[in-house]
Amino acid sequence: MINRSSDELLSDLIESTREVTSLAQSSKIETEMFNEFSLLVENFVPIFNDLRENIKFMHHPPIQKAVESLEKDFRRAKAMIVNPSSRTLVKQIEDTVQDLGRSLGLVLFASLELSAEFKDKVGVLYKDLMNARFDRSSAPSPSYHSEFLSEIEVEDEIEREIITLSDDDVVLQVRHGNDEELYLALLALKELTEGKKVENDWIVNEGVIPILSSRLSSSKPENRLIIIRLLRSLALDNSENKKKMAEVGILTTLVKSLIRDEEESREAVGLLLDLSELPAVHRRIGRIQGCIVMLVALLNGDDSVASRNAGKLLNSLSSNTQNALHMAEAGYFMPLVQYLKEGSDMSKILMATALSRMELTDQSRASLGKDGAIEPLVRMFNTGKLEAKLSALNALQNLSSLAENVQRLISSGILASILQLLFSVTSVLMTLREPASAILTRIAESESILINQDVAQQMFSLLNLSSPVIQSHLLQALNSIASHANASKVRRKMKENGAMQLLLPFLMETNIKIRSNALNLLYTLSKDSPKDLTEHLGETHINIIIDIIQSSASESEKATAVGILGNFPISDKKATEILKRANFLSLIVSILTSSSSTSKPKTGLLAESIAGVLIRFTNPLDKKLQLYSAEQGVIPLLVKLLSSESPVAKCRAATSLAQLSQNSLNLRKARTSRWLCVPSTEAFCDVHDGYCFVKSTFCLVKAGAIPPMIQILEGKDREVDEAVLSALTTLLLDEIWESGCNFIVKLSGVQAIVKVLESGNLKAQEKALWILERIFRIEEHRVKYGESAQVVLIDLAQHGDSTLKPTIAKLLAQLELLQFQSSYF
């Protein structure tokens, strides 16, 4: 079992469940009982399947232990079916079902962070198991009263039976009676003890407490509740009686009662709290399997009485450090935090070390932060000896992945101490530098780090003095700092102090993490100052970056590397020539084509970066470069990018297509062109009134780019509107505006353009109005679409930007709603 993964354990359990179900259904004896048993058992399968789907929660020790307990129960169930005892079969089946229910209860209480749907499913099965009763006959048991008796009659009958019981009969029936006899005897015993009709000596001499303890584990729920209440009553202010209840057996049974119904769990935790005053009980309770998990569950439960008593008992048990650790594993961290604050040096180290190794959820990290774990750990790091420093740093590293805790770390003033440690050359402190640099990486994600303007330069000076792991963390932290929205001054200082030159050697690193982090930082620094790339990156470094794009297995690294090359100024012709010589365009077209196995291209950073760099290769001032790009297959790729899920990729693709389309009119082949041997009707373009080809005239119509552009305008990505409308305006130049308008109208583009007027930004609205003004010059379109556009136009005139009013006035006049010289505008 030790060597199995959680998935294997659950697979084995599913197999065991099916095997037990099959054996029960094929049993030749007591078939009706075994069929009922099998129906209950097969309900475990969907629960185990749910746990497999949420496998990460299986790493939580309480759930792991609870599931392992179920595995043992299924082995016993199998043995019971294979070798049944005909004389005690009913009890055997009921005991087996109860065991399965108790173990399932452990799963329920350990599953605090699983979905409510899962817990409901487990809860329903748990109740079914705990309430299941089996009988050989379908007739009601003669020991139970008829359902037609009134409640008063039943109570009177019970009262009569209690009165007829002598003291000796009471003890005898508590010891040996069946469920009904036990119930009556317990009520009689309650009368004797609470009415002070017997002395405590009688209770001791008759062995009442051991008898009650022995009956507790095998009794029905209503009898268990009475027994626990009797035991609480007998324990009240009587230390001798308490001592008799200190045996491991009764304590274990009481712990099992913690996961039963509300009343029983409330009484059980109350009794355990009473008994915990005894040192022997205090030592034993925490060691009972599942006890602390169940107490934590009660602490977080809805029953205020049980919650209060569970809290008191947990607080009492937390005087033992191992118990405090078990509580933390169950999600109750206050005792652990208390040890960090006030414990001995050794207990602080123990807690911090355990905390560093725990598989924490964000909810747990948040709880630890709120409970005050950060401050004492920082104090340990600042003032403790080496072992304390190391355990504290590792614990802080585990907690620092939550943003709330990062703010607490910054408030604690740990940053200065971490930097001081990273600069230290003392060999004994070297082991601390890696967790310190990891924490620094997390702190750098917060914009608060910008308060210290010199921190970035200090980190740069550490780069060449550090191990690979620390270098990777420092580069990641520097990139986080440089990426903050308000970090423009910091970025400028970095570059002024030679940051870009310092990063270039890292591009040749064999350590992929270091290389990727260096690329990320180089990309961030080059975004707002492209000319720095021209200064620092020559042909050698450009070729190194191209090699990374070609060889890297990481899509994000490829995207960053392409993004760096895309940040070179478009005016840098030298860089363009270097890229052409290296067949860079062919490479990126190949990458994006191969990653686009479906009709939609790859989404994300890689598509965005490639779309960005293609703007350079579609520069409208360089027709030769545009022709080169078209021959490389760029245009169909750009059209595909219009259907990307990334708004950035769509915007950049539309920009490139607009740049290409600016030259289409001049490149078209006239109707009578002598260069066309056999003019093709398919090649003729109604918009450009000539022969168009994708690769030679860059025609958006022939490339099929207009339908996806109109679809973008109809969608929700408003940040793409301006680029798309810029592309559409290239179809409405003075020589071809009428045919361009007809084509856009034909593709239902008017409604999409009107939609931009309603919710687009100012520049997009300006372009949309310009296009509509041209479309509405044509009477047919004015008649068909004018009425639907006028409502939006009037609203925009009243509430839109004042710079739009002259164009709106012109449009409304076109629609004969306003005179051209209206004083309204």
Side-chain angles (χ1 to χ4, degrees), residues 598-648:
T598 64
S599 58
K600 286 191 176 181
K602 195 80 168 178
T603 58
L605 289 175
L606 184 57
E608 290 173 6
S609 296
I610 290 177
V613 84
L614 289 177
I615 293 173
R616 160 185 295 280
F617 289 95
T618 56
N619 184 352
L621 301 177
D622 192 337
K623 291 179 186 175
K624 284 185 178 180
L625 185 60
Q626 285 189 329
L627 186 60
Y628 168 76
S629 302
E631 287 171 350
Q632 295 293 327
V634 160
I635 295 176
L637 205 61
L638 289 169
V639 174
K640 278 191 176 182
L641 282 168
L642 293 174
S643 300
S644 165
E645 291 177 9
S646 162
V648 174

Side-chain angles (χ1 to χ4, degrees), residues 351-353 355-356 377 390-400:
M351 296 299 153
T353 303
L355 194 52
S356 69
L377 286 169
L390 184 60
S391 60
L393 274 180
N394 286 328
L396 287 170
Q397 184 181 346
N398 197 359
L399 294 176
S400 66

Side-chain angles (χ1 to χ4, degrees), residues 317-361:
L317 294 175
S318 68
S319 59
N320 178 290
T321 54
Q322 287 303 314
N323 287 343
L325 290 176
H326 289 319
M327 291 173 200
E329 288 171 354
Y332 177 51
F333 300 106
M334 277 303 297
L336 179 146
V337 174
Q338 207 58 36
Y339 273 107
L340 289 174
K341 289 177 178 178
E342 300 173 0
S344 65
D345 288 346
M346 282 310 298
S347 62
K348 286 178 181 177
I349 290 170
L350 177 67
M351 296 299 153
T353 303
L355 194 52
S356 69
R357 295 171 181 169
M358 282 183 191
E359 292 284 339
L360 297 174
T361 62

Side-chain angles (χ1 to χ4, degrees), residues 24 36 88 185 206 372 442 452 594 690 704 741:
E36 288 180 24
T88 61
E206 294 293 335
R442 302 272 168 74
N452 186 340
S594 63
C741 289

Side-chain angles (χ1 to χ4, degrees), residues 729-743:
T729 60
T730 64
L731 304 183
L732 305 177
L733 300 176
D734 289 344
E735 291 181 50
I736 57 170
W737 72 268
E738 191 168 355
S739 56
C741 289
N742 291 335
F743 186 74

